[in-house]
Amino acid sequence: MKTATALQQTATQHFYEDVVKGLTGTPKYLQSKYFYDAAGDALFQQIMHTPEYYLTRCELEILSAQAVAIADALGATPFNLVELGPGDASKSFYLLKELHRRHPEQAYFPIDISENIITQLQHALPARLQGLQVQGLCGEYIDMLKTTAYFSPRRKVVMFMGASIGNFTPEEAVKFCRRLREQMNPGDLLLIGFDLRKQPQMILDAYNDGQGVTRDFNLNLLTRINRELGADFDINQFHHFPTYDPLTGACKSYLVSNTAQEVLLGEHVIRFRKDEPIFMEISQKYSVDETRQLAAAAGFRPVQHFFDNKRWFTDVLWELSQNHNAL
């Protein structure tokens, strides 16, 4: 078994390799999963409370007002609740509270790439919900999802909330959901959140808040690369640039180089042209019909939709489709 130090060294090596691959590619890109160090976690918590970022408020409304209905839909048979990318669990707490009321032996498996998040949840949640069994897992979603079977033979309810599925292109989302399905058994369920298409300026503003928190969140990844990988990015030489295409539903974020410059990264010299972008993240928006198409393509069947009162957001309960031809 690898020691904690060896695991950290492996994670750092993967981080380095992914950054080099992205910044030497054409066009340049960085993987959004690396946003979430301790500073990135804190900045994202701030983003969720900005006036422009409606997503958190919409999903919080769903989970707080409809926790009983969601718990009913999940069924009476005991299960393990597995959440991918839980953040601070402030939204899922309402569902956890209702499930814990019904089943004091409820087990919760938060999975996150951020060790900081997992540590916080393992300390905070059992203190708030006495007897709740919390087994945090730090790592990649699919890898960690596989391991949950070793802890308990119960059926699984997997949560993938916060419109995190939007961090994939539609094609990537199908592949990811198929991989989730491969780790699920008959009787397992998936509760998945989608940000729905709406007025384009409202969507764009959510990723370009007036306080500049989203800008700082993106630039923090360059700071992390400097600190952990020894690069020499001057973050003042980059600016945050979001776009939204209402035809495709793709909201994208970039960091754009203000000048021609060179950045040292290990043995690599990364050259930027003036105005050259780094693609940072996609936040894909869906229509309700598009969520149904995604479910079918990935081998799931929608069971029930839960909407906020403005119908800006939906959390959808999916079960495994019996039609394996979709796979």
Side-chain angles (χ1 to χ4, degrees):
M1 181 178 292
K2 288 187 176 181
T3 64
T5 300
L7 289 170
Q8 182 58 51
Q9 290 173 343
T10 299
T12 300
Q13 183 62 29
H14 288 164
F15 182 26
Y16 175 77
E17 291 169 356
D18 286 344
V19 169
V20 169
K21 182 179 179 181
L23 294 182
T24 57
T26 305
K28 292 180 172 66
Y29 68 90
L30 290 170
Q31 294 188 33
S32 59
K33 67 181 181 179
Y34 292 118
F35 280 137
Y36 300 98
D37 62 350
D41 292 336
L43 284 165
F44 188 69
Q45 296 303 314
Q46 292 181 44
I47 288 171
M48 291 196 301
H49 292 94
T50 60
E52 298 90 343
Y53 198 78
Y54 59 83
L55 291 82
T56 299
R57 293 189 295 276
C58 290
E59 193 170 44
L60 182 61
E61 178 194 318
I62 293 169
L63 287 165
S64 60
Q66 302 181 60
V68 171
I70 296 172
D72 287 345
L74 298 181
T77 308
F79 57 83
N80 295 320
L81 188 67
V82 182
E83 184 167 13
L84 311 181
D88 63 357
S90 58
K91 294 175 295 183
S92 48
F93 178 79
Y94 291 93
L95 180 57
L96 274 172
K97 183 178 180 181
E98 176 61 23
L99 293 173
H100 185 59
R101 184 186 69 80
R102 299 180 182 207
H103 308 290
E105 75 282 4
Q106 180 68 51
Y108 176 57
F109 293 80
I111 298 175
D112 205 284
I113 195 172
S114 170
E115 187 174 352
N116 177 61
I117 286 291
I118 295 301
T119 300
Q120 288 181 22
L121 294 178
Q122 291 194 140
H123 283 87
L125 287 177
R128 298 182 68 187
L129 295 173
Q130 293 294 326
L132 178 70
Q133 302 173 46
V134 179
Q135 177 61 62
L137 299 168
C138 185
E140 301 286 347
Y141 292 156
I142 302 298
D143 293 341
M144 294 299 102
L145 185 56
K146 291 177 183 177
T147 70
T148 59
Y150 296 109
F151 290 95
S152 169
R154 291 177 181 169
R155 70 186 180 103
K156 296 188 294 293
V157 173
V158 180
M159 295 174 67
F160 194 41
M161 312 296 276
S164 296
I165 192 65
N167 294 144
F168 300 100
T169 66
E171 297 76 19
E172 291 169 343
V174 171
K175 294 177 182 177
F176 178 77
C177 289
R178 285 178 177 174
R179 293 182 68 201
L180 286 183
R181 191 189 189 284
E182 290 171 358
Q183 302 307 317
M184 299 172 68
N185 300 309
D188 291 351
L189 297 168
L190 173 63
L191 185 64
I192 183 168
F194 291 93
D195 188 20
L196 299 176
R197 291 176 182 252
K198 58 185 67 66
Q199 206 279 333
Q201 190 63 52
M202 182 183 300
I203 291 174
L204 185 60
D205 289 348
Y207 299 89
N208 195 29
D209 63 278
Q211 300 174 58
V213 183
T214 310
R215 173 202 64 210
D216 294 344
F217 178 67
N218 278 262
L219 288 170
N220 179 66
L221 180 47
L222 303 189
T223 300
R224 181 183 181 187
I225 292 170
N226 284 350
R227 182 182 66 253
E228 297 185 19
L229 303 181
D232 64 350
F233 277 102
D234 180 351
I235 64 170
N236 294 316
Q237 292 302 321
F238 291 86
H239 69 272
H240 168 62
F241 182 73
T243 68
Y244 176 62
D245 180 355
L247 292 178
T248 65
C251 190
K252 297 181 179 180
S253 296
Y254 300 87
L255 289 178
V256 180
S257 178
N258 296 334
T259 184
Q261 57 182 308
E262 293 182 348
V263 174
L264 296 179
L265 176 60
E267 59 187 24
H268 298 272
V269 178
I270 311 298
R271 294 180 174 84
F272 289 88
R273 301 184 306 277
K274 185 179 185 300
D275 301 321
E276 183 177 7
I278 308 172
F279 172 58
M280 302 296 288
E281 184 176 33
I282 184 172
S283 298
Q284 182 70 34
K285 310 307 172 186
Y286 286 83
S287 67
V288 173
D289 281 345
E290 286 168 337
T291 70
R292 294 192 181 104
Q293 293 164 13
L294 172 56
F300 289 93
R301 187 183 73 84
V303 176
Q304 192 168 344
H305 290 75
F306 302 92
F307 295 94
D308 66 290
N309 60 13
K310 296 186 178 71
R311 296 181 74 91
W312 285 355
F313 198 99
T314 185
D315 287 324
V316 193
L317 188 63
W318 288 356
E319 66 180 7
L320 275 63
S321 170
Q322 298 305 306
N323 179 13
H324 290 265
N325 292 333
L327 302 177

